[in-house]
Amino acid sequence: MLFGRKKKNPIKLHDKGVQQWRYATCGYCSVGCSIELGLNAEGQAVTTRGVGGADVNRGKLCIKGLAEAAVFNASGRGTDPMMRSRIFDEFETTDWDYALDHTANEFRRIQQKYGRDAVAVVSTGQIMTEEFYTLGKLVRGLIGTNNYDGNTTLCMASAVSGYKRSFGSDGPPGCYDDFEHTNCLMAFGSNLPEQHPIIYWRLKEALEKRKFPVIVVDPRVTMFAQFADIHLPITPGTDLVLLNSMAHVIINENLHDLNYIQQSCNGFEALEKLVQQYDPTSASKICGIDEDMIRTVARLYAKADSAMSIWTMGINQSTHGTDGVCAINNLNLITGNIGKPGGTSLSITGQCNAMGTREWSSCSGLPGYRLLENPEHREEIGKFWGVDPDFFPKKAGLKETDIFPAIETGQIKALWIVATNPMTSMPNSARIRKSFEQLEFCVVQDTYADCECNQYAHVYLPGAVWAEKEGCFTNTERRVNLTRASQPAYANSKPDGWIFNQLAKRFDNYENMHFPESAEAVFEEMKQLSKGIGPNGKARILDISGMSYEKIEKSRGIQWPCRDNDESTDDKQPSPTGNRVQGTARLYTDGVFQFPDGKAKLLAMPYVENNEVPDEKFPFWLNSGRVVEHFHTRTKTGKIGNCNKFSPTAYMEMNPDAADQLGVKHMSYVRLVSRRGDAVVLVQLTHRVPINMVFIPFHFHDCVNRLSLGLLDPYSRQPAFKQGAVRIEHIDQQEAAKLNVSMRTF
Ligand code: SF4
């Protein structure tokens, strides 16, 4: 007879009958986890697992990766191309030839009538790098519009602009392995556990081996802030003030690395002069951080043998986003913390292939970080593609956030949307809706036919998703990783690369160009373009010529640059997981940057107050961000039970003291009102937000972006999603419940 604790039955996992595992890279966020899809005897994807030998995730996956096998048969998938009938305004199924002919004809008609740039293209961070490259070739080389952008303008554009202004090129200089070496971590506007769970796990693992201070700057007491050693609850939009003040302390207390600055940087004198205005006593009155805390943090950072900065949307989504990024880079440069183990400024990117679009889509120029403004680059790409270089514009066109206002003014008449959902993701949705209504022609290419933009489409093209096709993503640490096609495309949907190739055939000059059929052949073409000499006279940094699909899969991802004759491609150094170390873990290890003289720029940037701040009429800050179960506009996670069930409805975090003052109850509905519109949300009372702030997850349609502010950063054109003002109004609970249910429905 057993006494004491009862014997428990062990947990039994349902046998899903997996017969084989196929290699892939997670198709959600930019962490870039290696993942295997389990296929049953019929070849259907039934489960996923993390890849134990992968350097990035070492066998782990977050909730989204674990449930990812469900994306293939989720509800709402588009089965066939559709066209809107002119007479009855109804969407009708059609065939691919007819849909693509009509699309090409409409683009041509509109370009002949209104000019080449009257057609705009907005793409994504979700498709494969080879598909981005092909889309860029089609748009720049055949369609010829200059109004072409990706939705990465909504999340990472300020990081890109900041890297270019400070270092002369895009490309995050650090890697996840820096957590293993750093002696101080400072995170700005990044809720790592919810946004990038596996990077957070890498950090936790490093901290278990060796303690170092973790400082989190965020107006909200996020999950990451709760875990930090020091939390700085900054006033929204004032990061530049805090960073200038830290530079003030570091320089005035002689804690800067003068040798590094003299060898590798320009602009120190101007920076030193400017930051004199940002003494901690004055700065604390603007940024809301105690002056002694500013001094403490500045000293901790500067005195550490190595220190690293990470950031995400809290910095980028601001009218000062690019300045904030440059100020982080300043901090790292003056302390000599770039390109050394544990010393870096690492922007944590957003979508699974946000980096791929930055590198190869030609959105902001020409492929491989080439510039439209540079005649040699136009000549080189024109010759390589078989396009007259004069066909290319001489400077980049409108960003996504300028394309919609240009539709309003009639400058743009046609819009092609590829795998993105601006009806939910853009600020000020009422204005975006009006823009859609004004279009003469709209094409929506998406995996899901029920994405909100499709209401306005004249043509819908169903795209295949994730492991229904083959190709690469690049993650936050410049690691190129592979997804093998392991599922057939759903119904009559097609891989995006196939759609681009077929559309290309319908334009003049196609005969003079070459559009390879397979993703691997496209990758081989990109490898050739990646070689060469960079602006500083040294080898280009975005060099992938030493990679191949086989090597990438074997190594579970390779970090660029990886040159075909580079000794960094050898296998002498074992990685922590035993994989061959290939490619380059860190950029700028030699202190040589991408400007012609090889020196980085220290930038002196005064803070200009231009936020919408709370006032008597709108007394609360409106903050927004991601929750772990969902990804972006829920086109995928909203349909996957094991993700959606944890966060099925739009809600708002509110401070209990503020709620008490207004008579608002936990789990009641309220109406939020801003200068742009209103939204109904369920109240969750929590001390995570201060008394003058509310927080809403950004994933839900017809919710936070009915309220958010569309002011833009002047360099990146990224919107200030996180600095708006709202008021709270009571609403009839029955009426609100009906409204809230309708917001949940696609
Ligand atoms: Fe996918 Fe990102 Fe989760 Fe990794 S952390 S499993 S890449 S969603």
Side-chain angles (χ1 to χ4, degrees):
M1 190 175 173
L2 277 170
F3 294 97
R5 289 176 61 190
K6 281 185 186 164
K7 197 176 166 193
K8 286 187 178 167
N9 289 331
I11 295 169
K12 283 186 192 145
L13 290 179
H14 169 61
D15 181 359
K16 294 185 173 162
V18 172
Q19 299 293 310
Q20 60 163 310
W21 295 95
R22 293 277 288 166
Y23 188 74
T25 307
C26 178
Y28 282 113
C29 88
S30 67
V31 176
C33 296
S34 289
I35 189 167
E36 281 178 325
L37 260 175
L39 311 186
N40 66 14
E42 287 76 47
Q44 292 160 338
V46 287
T47 190
T48 55
R49 68 179 183 191
V51 177
D55 278 349
V56 168
N57 53 315
R58 303 171 190 186
K60 302 241 177 330
L61 294 174
C62 80
I63 183 172
K64 295 187 285 292
L66 286 169
E68 206 163 356
V71 296
F72 302 110
N73 291 304
S75 65
R77 292 252 358 216
T79 56
D80 292 278
M82 311 273 281
M83 276 180 52
R84 198 169 292 284
S85 82
R86 284 192 191 279
I87 303 166
F88 302 110
D89 194 33
E90 278 174 5
F91 241 3
E92 291 167 354
T93 300
T94 185
D95 62 40
W96 276 102
D97 272 338
Y98 196 69
L100 292 169
D101 283 345
H102 183 65
T103 299
N105 288 340
E106 279 295 276
F107 284 170
R108 257 192 302 272
R109 177 186 70 77
I110 283 167
Q111 288 187 307
Q112 278 161 11
K113 188 167 173 190
Y114 303 104
R116 261 167 49 176
D117 292 340
V119 170
V121 182
V122 176
S123 95
T124 178
Q126 291 287 303
I127 60 177
M128 309 295 187
T129 308
E130 297 81 350
E131 294 175 329
F132 280 130
Y133 173 75
T134 306
L135 176 63
K137 200 193 251 190
L138 165 63
V139 173
R140 292 273 179 229
L142 290 173
I143 299 176
T145 176
N146 196 18
N147 293 326
Y148 164 45
D149 194 26
N151 67 11
T152 42
T153 291
L154 305 186
C155 54
M156 295 315 304
S158 296
V160 176
S161 305
Y163 277 144
K164 287 181 180 170
R165 285 173 71 200
S166 296
F167 304 148
S169 172
D170 186 18
C175 58
Y176 306 155
D177 189 49
D178 283 320
F179 294 134
E180 298 282 341
H181 303 277
T182 197
N183 292 294
C184 180
L185 174 78
M186 196 152 178
F188 297 86
S190 162
N191 186 12
L192 211 54
E194 293 216 58
Q195 294 165 343
H196 301 93
I198 299 299
I199 300 183
Y200 174 68
W201 169 74
R202 290 282 302 267
L203 169 65
K204 290 276 280 184
E205 195 183 51
L207 279 163
E208 275 165 22
K209 294 181 201 156
R210 187 179 52 84
K211 181 66 190 136
F212 52 87
V214 173
I215 304 155
V216 171
V217 183
D218 203 301
R220 181 169 160 251
V221 191
T222 59
M223 211 183 274
F224 199 11
Q226 290 170 45
F227 156 78
D229 298 297
I230 299 175
H231 172 217
L232 306 184
I234 194 166
T235 302
T238 62
D239 309 84
L240 182 59
V241 177
L242 170 67
L243 284 153
N244 278 346
S245 190
M246 286 177 68
H248 172 104
V249 175
I250 291 168
I251 294 170
N252 285 14
E253 296 188 7
N254 210 19
L255 299 173
H256 53 302
D257 185 341
L258 200 55
N259 278 345
Y260 186 84
I261 293 167
Q262 284 170 346
Q263 278 173 22
S264 296
C265 307
N266 290 318
F268 179 68
E269 291 73 21
L271 177 68
E272 185 180 26
K273 192 170 163 211
L274 177 107
V275 299
Q276 293 316 311
Q277 300 164 31
Y278 292 83
D279 61 276
T281 311
S282 310
S284 70
K285 294 188 176 72
I286 304 171
C287 70
I289 307 297
D290 176 79
E291 59 180 287
D292 281 337
M293 186 56 82
I294 297 176
R295 292 188 190 97
T296 302
V297 166
R299 289 169 192 152
L300 261 179
Y301 199 94
K303 287 182 181 175
D305 287 343
S306 58
M308 67 186 285
S309 314
I310 61 171
W311 74 93
T312 40
M313 304 315 157
I315 290 285
N316 295 335
Q317 292 179 336
S318 156
T319 50
H320 309 98
T322 305
D323 281 355
V325 172
C326 294
I328 291 172
N329 294 338
N330 281 347
L331 176 68
N332 283 73
L333 288 166
I334 63 171
T335 55
N337 277 304
I338 291 285
K340 73 180 190 190
T344 192
S345 91
L346 181 65
S347 76
I348 311 283
T349 54
Q351 301 177 73
C352 57
N353 207 14
M355 283 293 292
T357 187
R358 283 154 66 168
E359 296 158 5
W360 291 103
S361 73
S362 306
C363 273
S364 56
L366 290 166
Y369 291 163
R370 288 176 177 82
L371 305 171
L372 285 163
E373 291 80 359
N374 184 324
E376 284 171 26
H377 290 176
R378 289 202 307 274
E379 190 73 31
E380 184 188 7
I381 297 299
K383 200 168 160 196
F384 192 86
W385 281 352
V387 175
D388 180 349
D390 285 339
F391 189 71
F392 298 137
K394 295 187 175 52
K395 62 175 191 173
L398 299 178
K399 296 283 184 191
E400 179 179 8
T401 42
D402 291 311
I403 283 173
F404 283 93
I407 295 169
E408 274 182 2
T409 59
Q411 187 186 335
I412 288 171
K413 301 287 186 185
L415 179 63
W416 178 16
I417 295 177
V418 180
T420 185
N421 194 12
M423 251 332 296
T424 299
S425 59
M426 284 281 288
N428 201 344
S429 9
R431 244 181 111 174
I432 300 301
R433 187 180 301 280
K434 278 190 196 142
S435 302
F436 268 109
E437 285 166 357
Q438 267 181 252
L439 286 166
E440 277 191 27
F441 184 59
C442 177
V443 184
V444 170
Q445 177 171 329
D446 203 286
T447 296
Y448 297 96
D450 58 359
C451 73
E452 288 82 13
C453 294
N454 219 6
Q455 299 162 36
Y456 304 94
H458 299 93
V459 171
Y460 166 69
L461 306 174
V465 74
W466 188 40
E468 291 174 351
K469 50 192 186 172
E470 190 160 71
C472 293
F473 299 147
T474 309
N475 77 352
T476 287
E477 55 171 2
R478 290 168 286 101
R479 188 180 296 271
V480 178
N481 210 344
L482 185 67
T483 292
R484 294 286 186 190
S486 52
Q487 292 294 282
Y490 182 82
N492 193 20
S493 66
K494 298 286 183 191
D496 296 278
W498 180 93
I499 298 171
F500 302 146
N501 276 356
Q502 297 307 312
L503 198 58
K505 288 179 184 166
R506 289 158 166 84
F507 284 88
D508 294 342
N509 198 39
Y510 173 77
E511 301 305 325
N512 297 322
M513 295 178 74
H514 175 58
F515 283 79
E517 291 289 326
S518 77
E520 193 164 5
V522 177
F523 189 79
E524 291 300 314
E525 184 174 312
M526 289 159 46
K527 279 166 63 177
Q528 292 177 52
L529 270 183
S530 74
K531 296 185 214 178
I533 301 298
N536 61 0
K538 293 185 143 200
R540 296 171 56 79
I541 50 171
L542 176 47
D543 189 331
I544 57 169
S545 59
M547 300 184 192
S548 68
Y549 273 18
E550 193 191 340
K551 279 188 197 171
I552 294 169
E553 182 171 350
K554 192 170 161 202
S555 303
R556 281 40 179 132
I558 301 174
Q559 288 167 280
W560 62 254
C562 174
R563 303 183 176 96
D564 56 6
N565 57 356
D566 194 330
E567 62 183 33
S568 65
T569 61
D570 74 15
D571 57 358
K572 288 182 191 132
Q573 306 168 56
S575 73
T577 50
N579 293 326
R580 293 172 63 196
V581 172
Q582 290 188 312
T584 309
R586 296 174 186 86
L587 300 180
Y588 313 130
T589 50
D590 55 1
V592 177
F593 292 85
Q594 289 292 302
F595 288 110
D597 66 357
K599 290 196 170 187
K601 282 186 182 161
L602 290 167
L603 293 157
M605 298 161 295
Y607 172 72
V608 179
E609 170 61 70
N610 61 3
N611 292 320
E612 181 185 63
V613 296
D615 58 15
E616 228 170 83
K617 221 169 161 195
F618 300 97
F620 291 90
W621 284 106
L622 173 65
N623 193 353
S624 65
R626 190 189 288 175
V627 295
V628 67
E629 305 87 10
H630 281 305
F631 195 72
H632 288 189
T633 63
R634 293 166 72 240
T635 47
K636 290 194 236 181
T637 53
K639 283 98 169 239
I640 294 176
N642 279 335
C643 292
N644 198 45
K645 69 185 179 191
F646 297 108
S647 246
T649 190
Y651 66 90
M652 169 186 87
E653 289 181 0
M654 183 180 187
N655 184 288
D657 296 333
D660 206 32
Q661 285 171 16
L662 294 179
V664 170
K665 297 270 177 286
H666 185 58
M667 295 301 284
S668 67
Y669 290 103
V670 291
R671 184 192 301 281
L672 284 183
V673 183
S674 79
R675 291 180 176 87
R676 274 71 57 190
D678 66 341
V680 173
V681 286
L682 197 61
V683 174
Q684 185 184 91
L685 296 185
T686 169
H687 282 101
R688 280 193 291 267
V689 282
I691 195 161
N692 64 344
M693 179 180 288
V694 296
F695 170 88
I696 303 180
F698 63 47
H699 311 279
F700 298 91
H701 180 60
D702 256 348
C703 191
V704 74
N705 283 328
R706 289 170 66 103
L707 308 160
S708 56
L709 177 63
L711 281 183
L712 304 178
D713 177 277
Y715 297 93
S716 65
R717 314 303 289 161
Q718 183 157 353
F721 281 107
K722 293 175 186 293
Q723 294 107 43
V726 289
R727 69 167 174 263
I728 296 169
E729 293 179 354
H730 293 275
I731 185 171
D732 178 85
Q733 297 299 294
Q734 295 294 333
E735 183 66 17
K738 273 192 247 156
L739 279 169
N740 201 260
V741 167
S742 71
M743 284 191 301
R744 284 157 50 186
T745 313
F746 284 95

